[in-house]
Amino acid sequence: MNNIEQKMDEKSFAKLKSLNNDAVIDFVTKYIELCDPDTVYVCDDSEEDRTYIKNRSVELGEEIKLATEGHTIHFDGPKDQARDKANTKYLVREGVDLGEKLNTKDYQTGYDEVHGFFKDSMKGKQMYVRFFCLGPIKSDFSLSCMQITDSAYVAHSEDLLYRSGYEQFKSIGNTKDFFRFVHTAGQLENNVSKNVENRRVFIDLDDNIVYSTNTQYAGNTVGLKKLAMRLAINKCKDENWLTEHMFVMGVNGPEGRKTYFAGAFPSACGKTSTAMLPGETIIGDDIAYIRPRNGQAQAVNVENGIFGIIRDVNKEDDPIIWDVLNSSGEVIFSNILKDENDKVYWLGMGTETADKGINYAGEWEKGKKDANGNDVSLAHKNARYTVELDRLNNADENTQDPEGVSIGGFIYGGRDSDTSVPVAESFSFAHGVLMYGATLESETTAATLGAEGVRTFNLMSILDFLAYPLNNYIQHNLDFGAGLSNAPRVFGVNYFLKSKEGKYLNGMLDKGVWVKWMELRVNDEAEAITTPVGKIPLYEDLKKIFSQVLGKEYTEDQYVEQFTIRVPELIAKIDRIRKVYASESGEAIKQLFTEFDAQEARLKELQSEKGDHISPFDI
Ligand code: SPV
Ligand code: MN
């Protein structure tokens, strides 16, 4: 231990030693020797360490203080604005086959490569050693994690996003059974990672370690977020519980009843805004662990904060988060615009924005062009805010409950302009997992990738993070549901239907109506119409809920336009997804194809009787 003792003060050393964990000491020793930081700071759960990290971020310039008390802004470089899918790989040992949809690399080659980048990477810097707990502390759901990073911003973000776990770490004993993350931002220039072409996120599933380098963007660096999610997906596969890319929220029903839902939506499909619906309660907005208990699915939020997209966040559509972002208290903004008065602006904020300032691409002024002559927008479209969950005035009372909450419904939310009805309930758990979850697609929007309207497949919104073949993941979900006496109902939603003229058929807050309908369904308090694709709401019920929740008149014409069963489009979707799975094999895939055939047959039968587009009143 001599070596490491020289790099840290007595207090830090004492904190490490008190854990009585050889694997922790070995790990820290290994990366101190390799990365060669000037100093090492070990954090426990104290307020003192929290403050230290927060202050370091500002001292080092990784975050800049803003006009509002507690607010800071961080910039990732112009080329480091999102998860790097191409360079995120599983390091696989000989004989391991994770299927063709996963990105893999030979273990030794990848290990050597990333450790080559780690060598001396922390010279001139301080290393932070952190301990956290995923899921509520000291519960069946808890997973212990250790993070090493040379970025105070990453460490600070983790304080807002996760439950500190130093004390819990003491209770796990001298074990290797915890997740480990090593991150170095690499060489910095203007405080952003300079060598992004050497950005790597490599995952070792056998040892539960993730290596990340030459990047700062939180999705690549904050080990506890998507990196831990991959490890947890792998861990739970043999343990009869689920790790899902799902929010967890409470929906208030009649007479004080509350029903909890967990929902998976790909990016830009309304996940966070559903989780934060005014009048309902939020437990988490991104990742859930779900375990069986008394025949029910019991869920917790893995995290303790929100790393949310700050685009189109405005007072009218997102009143809850708007208030947090506009009042004092700890907020880390990233990759938006800061003006000379230290005020910040983002895309779609609905108020006047500054004409110049500093953003993710450096000095900015209105009309700025990039090297290709394209406009540089005032903020990045994947810009983010980081806040603690309990800052939200609708945080649920059970967010820290070690037992979690019982889930009444799973929601799978896609984005299409012409195919799926706004809300439908599956015929069974398996039907829902297969036909809403495993077929999930989202259309690209003008604001995201190149072409608009390109449908992107993303089963259960988890494709980017899967740690083993698709068949096994689907099977794991089916088995989990089959083992419950009271499995969640499963719903499919689509907030993005458009008219022929290209106008959205629903308002942003209409999702508040759909969740109320789902709440009634879970409690057997609403009838439904059976269609080939699932059960859809009755007009009378929606009319009532629209009036109650939004004070809006809901017309029969709106209902018909929204809930028409569009047979050719629905069959085209089945055909698309058949192609996606054509190269996959296994029992769950077979079941999926059986379900495709059955659904197609139901659709064709209806089509032969009633035509291509069928009004819900005609079914
Ligand atoms: C997502 O992209 O699903 C996110 C943000 O929640 S990231 O941390 O980049 O994964
Ligand atoms: Mn996510």
Side-chain angles (χ1 to χ4, degrees):
M1 278 199 218
N2 272 347
N3 217 349
I4 71 171
E5 234 178 312
Q6 288 162 9
K7 297 273 186 182
M8 59 184 86
D9 67 11
E10 270 171 37
K11 254 174 130 176
S12 275
F13 189 63
K15 285 178 211 166
L16 264 191
K17 253 179 52 186
S18 320
L19 292 174
N20 286 318
N21 187 310
D22 295 333
V24 167
I25 298 287
D26 290 349
F27 200 64
V28 174
T29 306
K30 175 172 173 178
Y31 287 97
I32 289 178
E33 283 172 358
L34 185 64
C35 304
D36 199 21
D38 284 6
T39 53
V40 178
Y41 191 95
V42 179
C43 295
D44 60 17
D45 302 340
S46 65
E47 211 38 55
E48 186 189 339
D49 283 353
R50 235 189 120 113
T51 306
Y52 177 79
I53 294 292
K54 187 166 70 177
N55 291 344
R56 284 294 285 173
S57 308
V58 173
E59 275 162 34
L60 294 166
E62 289 190 60
E63 292 172 34
I64 303 161
K65 272 195 175 166
L66 295 169
T68 307
E69 192 263 311
H71 291 198
T72 57
I73 184 166
H74 162 84
F75 295 113
D76 302 300
K79 293 186 190 144
D80 195 22
Q81 292 288 323
R83 276 187 277 113
D84 181 353
K85 296 188 202 181
N87 285 306
T88 301
K89 297 184 182 177
Y90 293 99
L91 300 184
V92 291
R93 290 163 169 98
E94 223 178 299
V96 176
D97 181 6
L98 297 184
E100 64 168 35
K101 290 203 171 51
L102 274 65
N103 205 357
T104 59
K105 192 175 180 83
D106 166 64
Y107 177 83
Q108 201 57 48
T109 316
Y111 179 93
D112 291 346
E113 185 182 7
V114 74
H115 283 75
F117 293 137
F118 279 155
K119 178 124 184 65
D120 296 336
S121 60
M122 297 189 189
K123 264 195 163 63
K125 298 196 209 172
Q126 184 164 50
M127 171 194 276
Y128 308 99
V129 180
R130 319 287 325 265
F131 300 91
F132 294 99
C133 175
L134 293 171
I137 305 276
K138 296 193 176 150
S139 82
D140 290 348
F141 294 91
S142 314
L143 292 181
S144 296
C145 299
M146 172 181 177
Q147 169 94 54
I148 291 177
T149 178
D150 61 3
S151 164
Y153 157 72
V154 168
H156 182 203
S157 299
E158 287 178 329
D159 276 324
L160 297 184
L161 293 172
Y162 300 96
R163 299 164 178 103
S164 47
Y166 178 82
E167 287 305 320
Q168 159 156 316
F169 232 92
K170 279 187 181 163
S171 69
I172 64 175
N174 192 4
T175 170
K176 278 188 181 168
D177 191 16
F178 56 92
F179 291 172
R180 281 171 263 193
F181 308 98
V182 197
H183 163 251
T184 107
Q187 216 179 321
L188 298 176
E189 193 171 70
N190 299 324
N191 252 315
V192 304
S193 292
K194 186 179 167 194
N195 303 314
V196 284
E197 70 285 358
N198 293 336
R199 183 169 45 212
R200 300 289 182 273
V201 180
F202 286 172
I203 303 133
D204 173 357
L205 293 173
D206 293 332
D207 295 327
N208 284 320
I209 303 175
V210 185
Y211 309 105
S212 157
T213 188
N214 292 312
T215 173
Q216 288 173 311
Y217 173 70
N220 298 320
T221 60
V222 169
L224 285 89
K225 201 167 186 58
K226 292 308 191 320
L227 314 185
M229 184 172 159
R230 294 164 183 276
L231 299 181
I233 287 172
N234 183 58
K235 183 176 168 59
C236 72
K237 73 179 191 295
D238 304 315
E239 298 181 3
N240 192 29
W241 56 281
L242 304 177
T243 300
E244 295 299 325
H245 194 199
M246 284 180 163
F247 67 63
V248 181
M249 72 181 294
V251 177
N252 292 306
E255 291 167 24
R257 180 177 67 210
K258 182 155 40 175
T259 305
Y260 289 101
F261 288 84
F265 297 57
S267 288
C269 290
K271 185 176 175 187
T272 302
S273 56
T274 306
M276 285 189 200
L277 267 171
E280 316 299 357
T281 60
I282 178 170
I283 289 200
D285 83 320
D286 201 29
I287 309 168
Y289 292 157
I290 306 170
R291 286 180 174 269
R293 182 150 314 127
N294 303 327
Q296 285 197 304
Q298 203 76 11
V300 296
N301 180 13
V302 169
E303 310 180 280
N304 202 32
I306 299 178
F307 177 61
I309 295 191
I310 186 164
R311 185 183 71 221
D312 298 332
V313 172
N314 55 67
K315 200 173 173 55
E316 206 173 296
D317 298 324
D318 305 279
I320 295 170
I321 194 67
W322 176 267
D323 281 350
V324 175
L325 300 180
N326 285 283
S327 48
S328 56
E330 233 172 317
V331 182
I332 309 173
F333 293 93
S334 54
N335 305 318
I336 57 174
L337 182 75
K338 176 186 99 66
D339 74 6
E340 61 198 5
N341 299 315
D342 294 331
K343 289 189 156 168
V344 285
Y345 307 89
W346 55 87
L347 297 172
M349 70 191 289
T351 59
E352 221 177 294
T353 52
D355 288 341
K356 61 180 178 41
I358 296 172
N359 74 3
Y360 65 98
E363 297 274 346
W364 179 87
E365 61 184 2
K366 225 179 197 158
K368 180 177 175 178
K369 307 271 185 212
D370 66 16
N372 302 323
N374 298 319
D375 276 330
V376 177
S377 58
L378 105 154
H380 196 271
K381 55 190 187 288
N382 191 34
R384 300 267 168 170
Y385 60 83
T386 303
V387 296
E388 282 176 288
L389 192 66
D390 65 9
R391 294 289 310 284
L392 272 57
N393 66 17
N394 67 337
D396 191 87
E397 61 198 9
N398 295 317
T399 48
Q400 304 303 339
D401 191 333
E403 299 288 314
V405 295
S406 298
I407 297 297
F410 280 171
I411 307 172
Y412 294 106
R415 174 191 269 266
D416 76 60
S417 50
D418 62 2
T419 305
S420 309
V421 292
V423 61
E425 182 188 334
S426 67
F427 300 123
S428 65
F429 184 84
H431 175 250
V433 163
L434 295 168
M435 295 309 292
Y436 303 157
T439 66
L440 209 54
E441 287 181 307
S442 88
E443 278 173 9
T444 53
T445 62
T448 53
L449 300 167
E452 199 173 347
V454 178
R455 296 175 214 254
T456 315
F457 164 75
N458 191 349
L459 92 149
M460 275 94 140
S461 168
I462 210 164
L463 188 62
D464 285 357
F465 315 106
L466 268 197
Y468 55 91
L470 274 59
N471 171 73
N472 308 26
Y473 170 71
I474 297 171
Q475 189 66 55
H476 186 54
N477 265 265
L478 293 175
D479 292 346
F480 180 82
L484 301 173
S485 52
N486 191 7
R489 303 284 190 93
V490 185
F491 300 89
V493 300
N494 170 30
Y495 305 151
F496 303 97
L497 270 182
K498 286 182 179 172
S499 68
K500 279 193 212 75
E501 296 72 40
K503 283 183 78 175
Y504 284 116
L505 293 180
N506 289 102
M508 287 278 273
L509 292 175
D510 289 2
K511 52 177 87 76
V513 172
W514 316 141
V515 297
K516 293 292 195 211
W517 181 75
M518 292 187 258
E519 201 279 337
L520 294 176
R521 285 294 301 168
V522 169
N523 294 285
D524 293 323
E525 287 180 10
E527 298 292 313
I529 301 167
T530 299
T531 79
V533 293
K535 299 175 196 176
I536 63 170
L538 301 183
Y539 170 66
E540 297 73 39
D541 289 336
L542 290 184
K543 184 178 161 68
K544 209 162 110 192
I545 307 174
F546 263 96
S547 157
Q548 282 167 350
V549 176
L550 300 176
K552 266 196 195 168
E553 173 75 16
Y554 186 60
T555 66
E556 285 192 5
D557 284 351
Q558 286 172 314
Y559 173 70
V560 169
E561 204 174 6
Q562 293 165 17
F563 286 90
T564 282
I565 300 298
R566 298 160 174 85
V567 177
E569 290 86 345
L570 286 160
I571 290 179
K573 170 163 178 163
I574 294 176
D575 280 338
R576 276 196 305 278
I577 308 295
R578 275 192 181 115
K579 289 198 188 92
V580 171
Y581 285 102
S583 57
E584 303 290 321
S585 58
E587 281 310 305
I589 303 295
K590 268 193 221 152
Q591 199 176 334
L592 183 61
F593 276 85
T594 307
E595 207 64 65
F596 289 157
D597 293 346
Q599 189 136 314
E600 184 177 38
R602 289 193 295 269
L603 284 163
K604 284 192 165 154
E605 193 185 326
L606 185 69
Q607 187 182 35
S608 69
E609 278 170 37
K610 312 220 156 139
D612 283 351
H613 286 182
I614 303 117
S615 157
F617 287 122
D618 287 342
I619 299 176

